[in-house]
Amino acid sequence: MKDGFWLLKRLFLCIFGVLPKATLMWIRSTIQAAVSSLGSLNSKIKRERAANHDGETVMRSRKVVLIILFVLALFYYLVPYFFGGSSTTFQPDTVEECLEERLSEFHTAIGAGDAFVQHERVQEGETHNVIYVGNGRMAVSVNSANGLFIRLNRALSLPVKYWPLVFANIKKERVLETNVLDIRSGLAYKIQAVRNPSGCIHSGSQVYAHRSRPSYLVQDIRIQNPTKYAIQVEFDQVGASGWTGAVTEMKQVSSQTGQTVQYRVSRGLVEIPESESVVAVAIGSVVMKDTAVTILPGTTQTYHLLTVVHYTKPAARADAEGYLASLVTQVDQDMSKGLGFADKHLRQQHTRVWGKLWESGFSISHSKAAGMVNGDKVNRTLYYVLSNVPAPMHDLSTSKKDRAAIEKVLHYPDRCYQGHYTIDAETLWIEPEDEDEIARVVTTWMITLEKHGCEFMVQAGAEGVLQAMILSLGALHFHNQHLELNMDPRNLHRDFVFRRLNYGNNTHVNISVTVGDDNKASIYVSLDRNDRPYYACDAGCLDMPVQLSNAWQRFPVKLTEPLTGILYITADKQHMEELKHSIHVKEIKEAPAHEHHVLALHKHGHHFGGLPTLFWVSIAFLIIIFHMFLFKLIYNEYCQGQERYRSRYNL
């Protein structure tokens, strides 16, 4: 409703506040003349009726009236476009335009569900997104008042009263701020925008927890002032605050450019809730030289801030205190080494790892039905879980021997996954509001995967966890010699794609489930690459095995009694030929088509199908016209009839 009033106000201003006075006088005189003509025409119609003229003349007069009204309405709406507008009478909020200019580079990723925005004030209908970065060793949120989180048990759930991020605040009356999370690159952004008479000013902060160097938390601040006026920027850097028993000391080291960089190291013990154990922690952060700076006109100022985090496993208090000195030494070494890397080099290393992690994935068609899990929620949840899991395959400190052992587990995920498909499990898809809820979701996922045969995959790190999660989304089970798809055919009323599932040293399997125009689901299988021949068969494996390739192979969805797997894939052809003797079914037939109302619920949010909006508008218009006609008929028969009778018998 507010938007409607805003549009009417703008139209009013465009017409009556923008046009020259002479033009307004001309419009006024034209409309007055038209109204006068309409009045005369209306009088003529009444006279014709009174004289009982021919009905054809009356109808022609009505058509003329309608045509004139249509022309006047059309002219009324087109006047602003003929005569243009003035920026002095109607001017949009230019601060919003400045912010939108900065956000435009994320529009494609946001539309694809690969990036998420969290405005300073949550807008109507907007999901609360925690703009969160983590690498399995530490995590921090850029839109939260909480500090740093480190690993405890299965997730990054232990808070440390240390705030590593620096906040840049532009001194201006009105500053708009928003936060963006790019899950494909594992980067979080805090964006500020202001406006002065000569243009837009942007302040951006890019934050990431480094994937291949897990002790590094990196923040790059960039302030652009292309305007003609200088601006004042204040920096807020907290560090350790309220950390009982922590000790902080200042140190310095030479950077890559030869400049001396100051950093402070805080060390102390962090208590574990409901436990007598503690964790020894040492954190070092680069210190800002100034708390306030002036950004001159036409200049850009950048700041590269590095935080290094080291901690121990839970231990007794006496033992943990003995580790603090060695932790500080590790922080000093990593700080000196980290400041020797170029900013771009660190960021490219980090984003390259996230790109490798996302090579496997899962897609699902969008559903408008209430409470359904869609692609954006899947992507966001996968990202939160992966951010809480280390990536030893990409950790630069991982030995070749350990890396080979991890690869073996990833390529042959024996016995994973052995549970029900998880796309409908509500507890796995809650919308987290803060870091604690993210940790709870991650813990639930880890327990689910571990208890359903994926313990070794989880221990393999981020790649293994992602593979296990994708398998669980479709109840895909790895057995000793084959992979089988165990979804219920009655649940295949949405399109699914399982992308690049690991199977063997050099084999990636793609599986797609598509609902056709006949409302029947079909399965398609292809290989990205393979080191030997692979075969597939549908439910029951009664048909001959089909050799797979990089081209999509279609398999019908069959319904068995009792329910069995609907697809089997293996590299052992003899094993597949023998499977039909081990799958004991009473009945097997092609799965029936889904009912139309079920598919309509997903596609349109209701059971009535996808009738266009124009159809419903037309129906409403016809109903209104019918009631107006009915009202007129009653009015003519009752009110005018009473007047006629009164005039006929009046003395």
Side-chain angles (χ1 to χ4, degrees):
M1 185 64 72
K2 292 175 64 177
D3 292 340
F5 285 129
W6 181 82
L7 289 173
L8 289 174
K9 180 181 178 182
R10 179 173 183 178
L11 185 62
F12 180 83
L13 291 172
C14 286
I15 295 175
F16 297 102
V18 174
L19 299 178
K21 185 175 181 180
T23 305
L24 289 174
M25 293 298 294
W26 176 77
I27 293 174
R28 181 179 179 184
S29 60
T30 302
I31 294 177
Q32 286 179 345
V35 172
S36 178
S37 300
L38 287 175
S40 302
L41 192 58
N42 190 38
S43 300
K44 180 179 179 181
I45 292 173
K46 289 182 178 180
R47 289 196 299 271
E48 288 176 351
R49 283 180 174 176
N52 198 20
H53 277 193
D54 187 70
E56 183 179 352
T57 305
V58 176
M59 290 300 298
R60 186 166 56 250
S61 301
R62 289 180 177 176
K63 289 180 180 179
V64 172
V65 172
L66 291 176
I67 291 172
I68 293 175
L69 288 174
F70 174 77
V71 171
L72 286 175
L74 185 65
F75 179 77
Y76 177 80
Y77 283 105
L78 291 180
V79 161
Y81 297 98
F82 291 148
F83 295 97
S86 171
S87 60
T88 58
T89 55
F90 176 79
Q91 191 169 10
D93 194 333
T94 53
V95 182
E96 279 80 2
E97 290 183 351
C98 290
L99 185 61
E100 184 62 29
E101 178 185 356
R102 183 68 179 85
L103 289 175
S104 61
E105 64 183 87
F106 300 103
H107 283 174
T108 301
I110 293 171
D114 294 334
F116 302 93
V117 177
Q118 182 63 54
H119 295 285
E120 189 175 8
R121 294 182 179 178
V122 180
Q123 299 179 356
E124 185 178 354
E126 183 181 68
T127 301
H128 179 80
N129 298 304
V130 184
I131 310 303
Y132 176 96
V133 294
N135 58 11
R137 186 174 181 81
M138 72 178 98
V140 68
S141 173
V142 303
N143 64 331
S144 167
N146 297 321
L148 189 73
F149 283 78
I150 59 176
R151 190 168 192 82
L152 179 64
N153 299 326
R154 295 181 172 91
L156 299 170
S157 57
L158 183 61
V160 181
K161 293 187 179 299
Y162 188 94
W163 283 259
L165 300 183
V166 175
F167 296 98
N169 303 305
I170 302 176
K171 301 300 293 180
K172 191 73 175 175
E173 290 183 1
R174 189 176 183 208
V175 180
L176 286 186
E177 183 179 294
T178 193
N179 304 291
V180 180
L181 176 62
D182 184 350
I183 66 171
R184 287 292 167 183
S185 58
L187 299 174
Y189 299 85
K190 179 176 283 291
I191 302 169
Q192 288 183 336
V194 299
R195 174 85 181 187
N196 65 27
S198 62
C200 297
I201 302 168
H202 294 122
S203 172
S205 183
Q206 184 184 82
V207 181
Y208 57 96
H210 206 282
R211 260 304 181 184
S212 57
R213 302 179 186 274
S215 63
Y216 290 168
L217 177 68
V218 185
Q219 180 181 13
D220 292 313
I221 299 175
R222 182 183 179 89
I223 305 170
Q224 296 174 289
N225 181 19
T227 68
K228 300 178 181 179
Y229 303 92
I231 58 171
Q232 298 292 323
V233 180
E234 292 183 352
F235 298 106
D236 185 14
Q237 185 174 22
V238 179
S241 177
W243 185 356
T244 305
V247 178
T248 301
E249 59 180 324
M250 297 295 297
K251 297 188 176 185
Q252 62 183 26
V253 67
S254 296
S255 67
Q256 181 189 18
T257 59
Q259 296 179 346
T260 300
V261 178
Q262 286 190 332
Y263 68 98
R264 59 189 173 196
V265 179
S266 299
R267 66 182 184 273
L269 303 179
V270 177
E271 296 183 354
I272 299 175
E274 301 179 0
S275 173
E276 295 181 357
S277 299
V278 296
V279 175
V281 183
I283 306 173
S285 295
V286 172
V287 178
M288 296 290 295
K289 292 182 179 180
D290 303 307
T291 58
V293 295
T294 300
I295 309 299
L296 298 176
T299 62
T300 298
Q301 190 70 38
T302 61
Y303 300 90
H304 179 64
L305 304 172
L306 184 64
T307 296
V308 179
V309 180
H310 282 284
Y311 56 91
T312 65
K313 293 181 179 179
R317 183 176 294 271
D319 296 334
E321 289 178 348
Y323 294 125
L324 289 175
S326 62
L327 292 176
V328 172
T329 301
Q330 294 178 49
V331 169
D332 293 337
Q333 293 173 351
D334 283 356
M335 182 65 72
S336 178
K337 188 176 181 179
L339 292 175
F341 295 119
D343 309 354
K344 186 177 180 181
H345 174 72
L346 282 175
R347 185 167 53 254
Q348 286 178 342
Q349 276 187 336
H350 169 78
T351 57
R352 191 182 302 118
V353 174
W354 272 107
K356 293 289 291 182
L357 290 177
W358 288 120
E359 286 182 352
S360 298
F362 171 79
S363 301
I364 186 172
S365 60
H366 186 80
S367 173
K368 295 183 178 180
M372 300 303 294
V373 176
N374 286 311
D376 57 342
K377 184 178 288 187
V378 172
N379 287 353
R380 187 166 53 247
T381 303
L382 289 176
Y383 171 80
Y384 287 150
V385 174
L386 295 182
S387 297
N388 276 258
V389 181
M393 276 291 294
H394 304 282
D395 192 330
L396 298 177
S397 63
T398 304
S399 65
K400 291 184 178 180
K401 181 180 179 180
D402 291 340
R403 189 172 283 109
I406 294 171
E407 287 179 345
K408 184 177 180 180
V409 173
L410 292 176
H411 294 153
Y412 296 95
D414 184 31
R415 300 295 178 183
C416 178
Y417 163 86
Q418 296 179 352
H420 56 82
Y421 74 105
T422 55
I423 196 68
D424 287 341
E426 295 181 0
T427 55
L428 297 174
W429 305 105
I430 66 171
E431 299 283 0
E433 295 287 334
D434 54 27
E435 297 92 331
D436 289 333
E437 291 190 3
I438 290 178
R440 283 196 289 271
V441 172
V442 172
T443 300
T444 304
W445 267 106
M446 294 297 103
I447 294 174
T448 301
L449 298 176
E450 290 172 7
K451 301 306 179 184
H452 288 94
C454 298
E455 184 176 0
F456 290 107
M457 293 286 283
V458 170
Q459 293 175 358
E463 282 94 350
V465 170
L466 180 59
Q467 290 286 324
M469 292 180 72
I470 295 173
L471 293 174
S472 74
L473 293 173
L476 283 155
H477 295 185
F478 269 106
H479 295 263
N480 285 333
Q481 294 173 290
H482 69 265
L483 168 67
E484 71 180 66
L485 177 60
N486 280 285
M487 294 190 72
D488 190 329
R490 288 166 293 192
N491 293 327
L492 300 180
H493 37 67
R494 299 173 69 182
D495 295 345
F496 303 92
V497 177
F498 303 89
R499 187 178 69 254
R500 289 177 64 88
L501 295 170
N502 287 338
Y503 197 172
N505 289 335
N506 272 316
T507 302
H508 295 143
V509 180
N510 301 312
I511 302 175
S512 173
V513 178
T514 305
V515 180
D517 296 334
D518 58 354
N519 293 349
K520 289 186 177 181
S522 298
I523 305 173
Y524 296 86
V525 185
S526 70
L527 302 176
D528 268 8
R529 60 179 184 176
N530 55 296
D531 55 353
R532 50 184 170 165
Y534 279 78
Y535 304 89
C537 65
D538 52 39
C541 278
L542 300 180
D543 299 328
M544 289 296 295
V546 176
Q547 184 171 345
L548 301 176
S549 66
N550 59 359
W552 289 101
Q553 299 282 349
R554 181 185 177 278
F555 297 87
V557 176
K558 293 182 179 179
L559 186 63
T560 63
E561 175 62 36
L563 287 175
T564 62
I566 58 177
L567 178 72
Y568 299 85
I569 301 174
T570 183
D572 189 341
K573 187 176 181 181
Q574 182 180 354
H575 170 73
M576 179 158 285
E577 291 174 346
E578 294 174 348
L579 269 178
K580 62 183 177 183
H581 301 296
S582 65
I583 305 173
H584 304 287
V585 295
K586 298 178 181 179
E587 183 182 3
I588 182 170
K589 60 182 179 180
E590 189 168 339
H594 296 291
E595 296 183 3
H596 174 73
H597 70 87
V598 175
L599 300 180
L601 181 64
H602 290 294
K603 292 180 180 179
H604 313 293
H606 51 75
H607 296 289
F608 305 112
L611 294 174
T613 305
L614 182 61
F615 172 81
W616 298 109
V617 172
S618 302
I619 292 296
F621 179 75
L622 291 175
I623 292 174
I624 293 173
I625 293 297
F626 170 76
H627 283 85
M628 291 178 64
F629 173 77
L630 184 63
F631 175 78
K632 183 178 179 182
L633 185 65
I634 295 173
Y635 176 81
N636 289 341
E637 290 295 327
Y638 180 75
C639 298
Q640 293 187 2
Q642 292 291 335
E643 293 177 359
R644 183 166 60 250
Y645 293 145
R646 282 198 300 269
S647 60
R648 179 180 298 177
Y649 297 105
N650 188 21
L651 298 178

